[in-house]
């Protein structure tokens, strides 16, 4: 599933090719994404310049003077820059064609992605308005976690994966950040000190920033018609390594389910 680093990498990969260009045609091959693509999207986007491509959580926003197209990549979506006329594949559901022929193509085999138009300021859109701060912003820090955790008995891992607390901390990154911070994922959120939350906030930032940096090496993969998304694999220290030796103490890593998600940690290094 594309996580925040992949979505940010996508933004960086496509922006130089699309930003500032004018949409001359929109081709919808399949309306049935997570929500149906509106029938009049081609009319709404016709002749609109793309003034900016921004990201909030895992949403990408293609801004135009008349409104914003909000894209989400769902479970399996990807965006590529192709040329108008490049043959679409089976799961290439949406093309935004610019006046010079440059085309942004949405590929999504499982169709959990979305392409939603809004003419409101997009921060007020129902998809975005209740989201917590961006993990790499100054608004997200140990104090924010300490406040959100106050009196909460739920597991700290579920707290940091809650989009209203902080956006974009998916399962893999939550596991990795908690290992780096030395905090047990199932520890009740309200029982962790402010000092440890400051460390956890830093670790979340480090893990996500490293992944985004790694994604930088794949930016060229967003251009061209071969259909492979330019996603990347970060080196994972605990996730996917249940039962294997802990990289710090070499005792076997424990794997449990927490909120139905695979959770891996070291019983001796994480407390
Ligand atoms: Zn250990």
């Amino acid at each position: 599933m594309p996580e925040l680093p992949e979505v940010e990498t996508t933004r960086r990969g496509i922006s130089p090719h699309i930003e500032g260009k004018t949409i001359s045609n929109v081709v919808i091959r399949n309306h049935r994404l997570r929500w149906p693509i509106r029938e009049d999207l081609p009319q709404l986007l016709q002749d609109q310049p793309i003034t900016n491509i921004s990201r909030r959580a895992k949403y990408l926003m293609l801004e135009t003077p008349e409104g914003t197209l909000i894209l989400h990549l769902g479970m399996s979506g990807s965006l590529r820059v192709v040329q108008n006329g490049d043959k679409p594949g089976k799961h290439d559901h949406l093309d935004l064609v610019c006046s010079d022929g440059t085309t942004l193509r949405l590929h999504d085999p499982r169709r959990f992605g979305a392409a939603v138009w809004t003419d409101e300021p997009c921060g007020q859109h129902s998809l975005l308005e209740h989201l917590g701060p961006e993990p790499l912003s100054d608004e997200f820090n140990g104090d924010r976690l300490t406040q959100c955790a106050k009196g909460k008995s739920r597991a700290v891992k579920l707290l940091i994966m809650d989009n209203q607390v902080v956006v974009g901390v998916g399962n893999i990154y939550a596991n990795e950040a908690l290992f780096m911070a030395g905090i047990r994922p199932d520890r009740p959120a309200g029982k962790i000190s402010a000092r440890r939350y400051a460390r956890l906030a830093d670790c979340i930032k480090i893990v996500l920033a490293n992944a985004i940096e790694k994604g930088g090496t794949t930016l060229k993969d967003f251009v061209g018609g071969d259909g492979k998304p330019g996603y990347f694999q970060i080196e994972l220290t605990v996730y996917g390594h249940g039962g294997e030796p802990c990289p710090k103490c070499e005792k076997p890593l424990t794997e449990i389910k927490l909120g139905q998600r695979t959770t891996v940690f070291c019983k001796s290094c994480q407390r």
Side-chain angles (χ1 to χ4, degrees):
M1 187 187 324
E3 295 290 346
L4 185 144
E6 287 90 343
V7 178
E8 176 60 19
T9 298
T10 300
R11 189 188 71 76
R12 295 179 185 188
I14 64 173
S15 291
H17 306 280
I18 299 293
E19 226 169 51
K21 293 188 179 170
T22 298
I23 296 171
S24 61
N25 191 22
V26 175
V27 181
I28 306 171
R29 296 190 193 84
N30 190 340
H31 288 265
R32 291 170 304 143
L33 297 186
R34 180 164 178 186
W35 301 288
I37 302 177
R38 22 190 305 183
E39 301 278 343
D40 61 351
L41 189 67
Q43 289 78 50
L44 290 163
L45 285 172
Q46 180 76 43
D47 298 327
Q48 289 295 311
I50 299 169
T51 51
N52 191 31
I53 302 178
S54 56
R55 180 190 59 74
R56 176 80 173 99
K58 297 204 290 179
Y59 296 96
L60 286 173
M61 279 93 72
L62 271 61
E63 299 167 27
T64 80
E66 296 290 320
T68 303
L69 184 65
I70 303 173
L71 297 172
H72 193 280
L73 301 174
M75 306 286 286
S76 59
S78 60
L79 288 166
R80 301 187 67 75
V81 176
V82 298
Q83 285 304 307
N84 189 20
D86 284 357
K87 195 168 175 283
K90 187 178 170 195
H91 303 293
D92 292 337
H93 306 310
L94 175 68
D95 279 1
L96 304 182
V97 185
C98 299
S99 54
D100 68 350
T102 306
T103 298
L104 185 65
R105 180 166 282 175
L106 175 68
H107 173 88
D108 189 359
R110 297 182 62 184
R111 290 191 283 107
F112 284 104
V116 175
W117 173 260
T118 180
D119 52 17
E120 305 169 291
C122 52
Q124 291 169 23
H125 191 276
S126 58
L127 288 172
L128 303 176
E129 68 176 338
H130 298 298
L131 293 175
E134 285 290 319
L136 296 173
S137 71
D138 292 342
E139 246 181 292
F140 174 64
N141 52 34
D143 291 346
R144 166 85 187 162
L145 286 177
T146 306
Q147 274 166 23
C148 291
K150 208 164 274 175
K152 299 267 164 52
S153 58
R154 70 170 160 162
V156 59
K157 179 165 175 257
L158 303 182
L159 179 87
I160 61 174
M161 290 180 67
D162 180 343
N163 265 333
Q164 296 191 18
V165 174
V166 55
V167 299
V169 184
N171 190 43
I172 292 173
Y173 297 106
N175 277 291
E176 295 294 315
L178 285 161
F179 178 74
M180 190 186 278
I183 297 173
R184 259 183 84 124
D186 57 354
R187 178 169 281 275
K191 306 254 186 224
I192 295 172
S193 69
R195 186 184 56 82
R196 299 187 83 202
Y197 271 132
R199 170 77 183 142
L200 180 57
D202 286 346
C203 291
I204 289 171
K205 289 173 194 276
I206 291 167
V207 166
L208 290 172
N210 283 347
I212 291 169
E213 193 187 317
K214 181 115 199 230
T217 61
T218 70
L219 294 183
K220 64 176 177 358
D221 300 344
F222 288 89
V223 182
D226 67 2
K228 284 189 219 125
Y231 296 153
F232 49 91
Q233 204 66 65
I234 60 160
E235 280 152 41
L236 301 172
T237 52
V238 287
Y239 187 81
H241 296 290
E244 294 173 25
C246 166
K248 287 183 193 162
C249 74
E250 300 191 343
K251 291 187 184 137
L253 293 169
T254 303
E255 183 170 317
I256 59 168
K257 292 275 181 195
L258 204 56
Q260 284 135 29
R261 307 297 300 274
T262 300
T263 301
V264 184
F265 64 100
C266 175
K267 279 183 174 163
S268 71
C269 296
Q270 290 172 262
R271 292 175 184 275

